[in-house]
Amino acid sequence: MKAGLYIAEKQVTVGQIDIPDLQPGEALVKVAYAGICGTDMMIYSGKHPRAKAPLAMGHEFSGVIERINGESSFIVGSRVVIEPTLSCGKCEACLAGETHVCKTLKLLGIDKHGGFAEYVAVPLDRLHQIPDGLSDAHAALAEPVAVAVHTVRRSNLKAGDSVMVLGAGPIGLLVGMVAKQAGASQVMISDLSPYRLQKAEQLGLIAFNAKEVNITEEVMKRTAGNGAEVVFEVAGSQATAKQMIETVKTQGQIVVVSVFKQAPAIDLAAMHFREISLTTTRCYSKGDFSKAIQLMHNGEIDVSSLISHELPLEQLAEGFHFMENPDVSIKVLFHP
Ligand SMILES: NC(=O)c1ccc[n+]([C@@H]2O[C@H](COP(=O)([O-])OP(=O)(O)OC[C@H]3O[C@@H](n4cnc5c(N)ncnc54)[C@H](O)[C@@H]3O)[C@@H](O)[C@H]2O)c1
Ligand SMILES: [Zn+2]
Ligand SMILES: [Zn+2]
């Protein structure tokens, strides 16, 4: 079958690999759409600690069930979106039902071949039905929407709160959208890319260009000098690791979503004086994933403006080039 493969640092190619053998308890999914995520960019840059070449990347994907090996409520032909986390089922976190923080958590598309291919073997319990009326392309974004749902659920956000989101990449924009849907009175967001900031404005968020204005001053102006109740850090830079403390209210909460490539310096003393809480967040639970699908299905979260490109898998390398430039892309989808 055709597969979009990571070969080496900054090298991807469309090649042939075997159609996966179906193990008991798995379904063979014919991929409809698969998105490039920041993690795929990390693999592409040769910096992912676990991904081993050659690898069919892609952990954000939807498709149709082609074959089923085992008992399942799904049937051949069902449209599905895949929750790509693979947990061990035995560690303390798994036994407590918190499988997304499994000690040895693995993901389809990182640790095993994923959605940049014609077919993927998926454990039956990782399948979610796509409801009628939700397109395969939109459903492929269930994974990043689930990250945002989980992130907002991990926060103390209450209706009427002011929110600051540092970073308007796909995850930052979705966190902003979910926070607004959850009742935030205002959602401010910063980035360096005018293209992404324009998208943010179209989505009803208050956008600041961190190259042009002082972010902390802007947040203070809009919060009567107090700061935001909840600050989401979604840029992963030293500048935003500083701003997250400056822009949060006394006794407010910072939620770090980013996976920092370099450990930032964090002013813990400044946090202590104002009793600021710091929370981290990883992936999503099955419930968060279902909620993400539901929010897209009932129109509360509309991801259409986040899809900047839909390309055939043959244009794999172009897709990665688009994603390297935040001024032209947000979410690139391939259809194998
Ligand atoms: N917690 C999780 O489970 C989880 C899941 C997915 C992604 N992530 C992480 O979330 C982060 C965001 O993901 P993404 O896909 O949106 O990445 P992205 O790289 O597309 O977005 C980051 C954005 O931050 C902006 N930025 C950089 N410096 C900035 C600054 N000083 N001020 C304001 N904005 C700045 C960039 O222009 C970019 O638009 C990444 O670190 C990613 O690894 C975490
Ligand atoms: Zn992802
Ligand atoms: Zn486990």
Side-chain angles (χ1 to χ4, degrees), residues 5 10 17 24 79 121 158 179 184 226 252 256 259 266 301 322 329:
L5 299 167
K10 302 253 170 168
I17 58 173
R79 295 193 309 130
K158 298 182 305 303
N226 295 316
V256 173
V259 182
I266 294 179
I301 297 293
F322 286 133
S329 65

Side-chain angles (χ1 to χ4, degrees), residues 87-95 98-99 101-105:
S87 46
C88 77
K90 295 181 199 122
C91 73
E92 197 178 25
C94 282
L95 292 175
E98 302 288 328
T99 53
V101 282
C102 169
K103 212 169 185 173
T104 55
L105 188 74

Side-chain angles (χ1 to χ4, degrees), residues 147 169-171 190-192 196 234-235 237 240 257-259 281-283:
V147 170
I171 300 292
S190 67
D191 206 282
L192 308 170
R196 291 182 168 195
V234 208
S237 72
T240 49
V257 188
S258 297
V259 182
T281 173
R282 184 181 193 192
C283 293

Side-chain angles (χ1 to χ4, degrees), residues 164-169 190-192 210-211 215 231-246 254-267 278:
M164 177 64 199
V165 182
L166 297 159
S190 67
D191 206 282
L192 308 170
K211 270 188 200 154
I215 296 301
V231 174
F232 296 98
E233 199 295 317
V234 208
S237 72
Q238 180 58 61
T240 49
K242 186 163 178 286
Q243 287 161 1
M244 69 187 188
I245 300 166
E246 294 171 351
I254 296 166
V255 182
V256 173
V257 188
S258 297
V259 182
F260 279 82
K261 294 187 184 78
Q262 260 189 310
I266 294 179
D267 189 348
L278 187 115

Side-chain angles (χ1 to χ4, degrees), residues 11 20 37 43 68 75 144 177 198 235 253 257 270 290 292 301 323 327:
Q11 267 185 59
C37 163
I43 298 173
I68 297 176
I75 55 168
M177 289 160 82
Q198 193 198 335
Q253 184 193 31
V257 188
S290 300
I301 297 293
M323 280 302 286
D327 274 322

Side-chain angles (χ1 to χ4, degrees), residues 18-307:
D18 290 339
I19 294 179
D21 286 332
L22 214 50
Q23 303 302 316
E26 288 183 342
L28 190 68
V29 173
K30 187 173 196 313
V31 178
Y33 285 92
I36 306 184
C37 163
T39 309
D40 299 308
M41 296 309 293
M42 196 184 220
I43 298 173
Y44 178 69
S45 70
K47 295 203 174 71
H48 197 282
R50 303 199 311 272
K52 299 269 180 305
L55 174 75
M57 296 169 281
H59 57 270
E60 305 178 357
F61 62 102
S62 61
V64 175
I65 297 181
E66 184 102 350
R67 227 162 5 106
I68 297 176
N69 187 355
E71 287 286 308
S72 171
S73 56
F74 290 96
I75 55 168
V76 168
S78 294
R79 295 193 309 130
V80 288
V81 55
I82 284 72
E83 186 181 342
T85 46
L86 304 169
S87 46
C88 77
K90 295 181 199 122
C91 73
E92 197 178 25
C94 282
L95 292 175
E98 302 288 328
T99 53
H100 66 290
V101 282
C102 169
K103 212 169 185 173
T104 55
L105 188 74
K106 294 184 170 50
L107 266 86
L108 288 169
I110 298 175
D111 302 277
K112 291 178 77 174
H113 288 319
F116 296 173
E118 282 178 273
Y119 297 97
V120 187
V122 180
L124 292 166
D125 74 344
R126 302 291 81 191
L127 299 171
H128 291 256
Q129 184 84 38
I130 302 176
D132 289 346
L134 180 63
S135 71
D136 294 343
H138 286 190
L141 273 83
E143 200 264 5
V145 176
V147 170
V149 167
H150 183 69
T151 296
V152 172
R153 183 163 70 81
R154 298 262 307 149
S155 78
N156 305 325
L157 179 70
K158 298 182 305 303
D161 282 353
S162 288
V163 164
M164 177 64 199
V165 182
L166 297 159
I171 300 292
L173 289 168
L174 285 167
V175 167
M177 289 160 82
V178 173
K180 201 150 188 271
Q181 189 274 332
S185 61
Q186 56 172 346
V187 177
M188 300 166 274
I189 191 163
S190 67
D191 206 282
L192 308 170
S193 153
Y195 170 75
R196 291 182 168 195
L197 289 167
Q198 193 198 335
K199 289 277 179 192
E201 267 174 5
Q202 286 166 7
L203 293 165
L205 314 180
I206 303 164
F208 305 136
N209 188 329
K211 270 188 200 154
E212 289 168 4
V213 297
N214 180 309
I215 296 301
T216 304
E217 281 175 18
E218 294 301 319
V219 174
M220 290 306 156
K221 268 189 227 164
R222 282 168 177 78
T223 54
N226 295 316
E229 274 83 7
V230 184
V231 174
F232 296 98
E233 199 295 317
V234 208
S237 72
Q238 180 58 61
T240 49
K242 186 163 178 286
Q243 287 161 1
M244 69 187 188
I245 300 166
E246 294 171 351
T247 55
V248 72
K249 191 175 181 162
T250 294
Q251 292 190 323
Q253 184 193 31
I254 296 166
V255 182
V256 173
V257 188
S258 297
V259 182
F260 279 82
K261 294 187 184 78
Q262 260 189 310
I266 294 179
D267 189 348
L268 292 175
M271 289 176 65
H272 141 81
F273 284 115
R274 295 191 292 122
E275 285 197 341
I276 290 160
S277 308
L278 187 115
T279 302
T280 57
T281 173
R282 184 181 193 192
C283 293
Y284 32 76
S285 67
K286 203 175 184 94
D288 297 320
F289 211 94
S290 300
K291 181 165 180 199
I293 294 169
Q294 185 199 326
L295 287 174
M296 289 192 292
H297 180 229
N298 64 21
E300 286 175 277
I301 297 293
D302 180 3
V303 294
S304 48
S305 67
L306 302 189
I307 301 170

